[in-house]
Amino acid sequence: MPINQPIAEVRAWLTLLRVPGFGASVIRQRVAQHRTAAVVLANAKRDAQISDAARAWFAQPDEALIDSDLAWLDAPRHYLITIADDDYPALLMNGQNPPAALYVAGEPTSLWMPQIAIVGSRRASSGGLENARAFARTFVQAGNAVTSGLAEGIDGAAHTAALDAGGVTIAVLGTGPDMIYPRQHASLAERIVEHGALVSEFPPGTAGRPEFFPRRNRIIAGLSLGTLVVEAGLKSGSLITARLANEQGREVFALPGSIHNPMARGCHQLIREGAKLIETAAEILDELHGVGALLADDLRRRLDSDETRSLAAVVSNRCDDPDYVKLLAALDAQPLALDELADRTQLSAAALSSMLLMLELDSVVVAENGRYARR
């Protein structure tokens, strides 16, 4: 069920998210003005700026449709995280036109993990697929989540390799959270729910449309510290993800390929435009360590300045959690690698990376070159 929201406010949000013509920016503006979704609904009749279609919806919303959305949320491990929630991922909040709300199936706290996006062609070569797998394995072994779009080709290879390596992966959908596309990735989606999250800004029952996938791509870029394009043609949607990542101030990386491979031309174009030419996963991890530290400092300042309760504060207030007690006992002033902490605590790398990020945001842990120490 939804996090930190009473049921009346959840229903108001579900009603608001289905208003015809109300995009993310409109909903954010209305909620910022009126504080809650319920108050937005209450004031809708006096809102002179809304369309006739929106006015008709506010006058008589489809209650059966809202009931079906609530039924989806009633299922285990299904969540609605709104822009008003403390648990809304802070990196995405700082991104470009953040969604008003996210429908999440799986583990919502995985959205706070340090993430690296891997994207590329649906018609990737065998070499491109193997590169995607190798980079995904290395990223999760270093404590990052791998984020992609569940598409065929590079996306699916990256998700699968991250899971096979025991890591966390996040799939952002261009459909509703219950409409898996492509259908052949249904079993992969089930695995992702168990070891990560499916994420969508579209309500349940929403079928995919071409214009929805660029909207999905901005979420992939917004959740991630950086985006790696493995293979892409000149008209690939992956180039949209890369552009959106660049516009949000995130790092963009591209793998070079043969001049005879049409799936390398998009990567070569990105490199000409300023993306970093990458040959190894270690290069990306080195680049993103500094970016992650700067973003953590920026997020800490932003969260501390808000009159809201940050997820980091929640963590600090629940340090009687046995896993956190175990982790804090394992840390010392001498920096330790993630695998050393895993040996000391017997916790998974995925769980440790999420906990360490929370403790770093809470100024309990300092991270340097992939190693962690108590501050």
Side-chain angles (χ1 to χ4, degrees), residues 2 37 78 103 111-112 123 147 165 200 262 268 306-307 350 354:
H78 287 187
Y103 299 86
L111 302 183
W112 279 74
R123 301 183 302 277
T147 300
S200 177
H268 293 166
D306 283 349
E307 294 181 359
S354 180

Side-chain angles (χ1 to χ4, degrees), residues 64-277:
L65 196 56
I66 305 308
D67 287 341
S68 71
D69 291 345
L70 276 172
W72 183 85
L73 283 172
D74 277 334
R77 308 192 74 184
H78 287 187
Y79 302 88
L80 178 72
I81 303 177
T82 76
I83 200 84
D85 288 327
D86 302 323
D87 298 315
Y88 191 97
L91 275 182
L92 186 60
M93 179 86 77
N94 279 359
Q96 186 180 66
N97 189 24
L102 299 171
Y103 299 86
V104 178
E107 177 48 62
T109 59
S110 65
L111 302 183
W112 279 74
M113 288 182 65
Q115 298 169 48
I116 303 175
I118 299 179
V119 296
S121 174
R122 288 175 170 81
R123 301 183 302 277
S125 68
S126 58
L129 294 173
E130 183 49 45
N131 284 335
R133 297 185 192 105
F135 276 77
R137 283 193 294 268
T138 303
F139 291 159
V140 298
Q141 288 165 357
N144 302 280
V146 166
T147 300
S148 196
L150 200 64
E152 297 176 86
I154 296 298
D155 291 20
H159 288 306
T160 301
L163 293 169
D164 290 346
V168 170
T169 189
I170 294 159
V172 185
L173 309 181
T175 63
D178 59 337
M179 306 284 286
I180 302 304
Y181 177 82
R183 290 305 306 166
Q184 59 263 38
H185 280 173
S187 59
L188 174 58
E190 291 176 1
R191 291 183 68 193
I192 293 172
V193 170
E194 293 300 317
H195 303 282
L198 300 178
V199 180
S200 177
E201 69 173 319
F202 302 106
T206 303
R209 292 164 53 181
E211 63 267 28
F212 289 170
F213 291 93
R215 291 171 61 179
R216 171 203 66 177
N217 293 349
R218 89 184 191 287
I219 300 175
I220 295 173
L223 285 169
S224 304
L225 294 172
T227 294
L228 169 65
V229 182
V230 176
E231 278 190 342
L234 289 174
K235 295 184 178 181
S236 171
S238 301
L239 302 189
I240 297 175
T241 308
R243 174 177 59 79
L244 293 169
N246 184 62
E247 290 175 358
Q248 295 179 73
R250 310 296 165 79
E251 296 290 335
V252 178
F253 309 97
L255 288 181
S258 168
I259 61 172
H260 304 294
N261 179 7
M263 289 298 105
R265 290 174 185 167
C267 291
H268 293 166
Q269 177 175 305
L270 289 174
I271 292 167
R272 284 193 294 270
E273 293 173 351
K276 292 184 170 68
L277 187 156

Side-chain angles (χ1 to χ4, degrees), residues 337-361:
L338 195 67
D339 58 351
E340 295 175 288
L341 289 170
D343 288 339
R344 290 190 180 193
T345 63
Q346 297 303 298
L347 297 171
S348 70
L352 283 171
S353 60
S354 180
M355 294 162 68
L356 287 163
L357 177 61
M358 296 303 100
L359 294 174
E360 186 179 355
L361 287 171

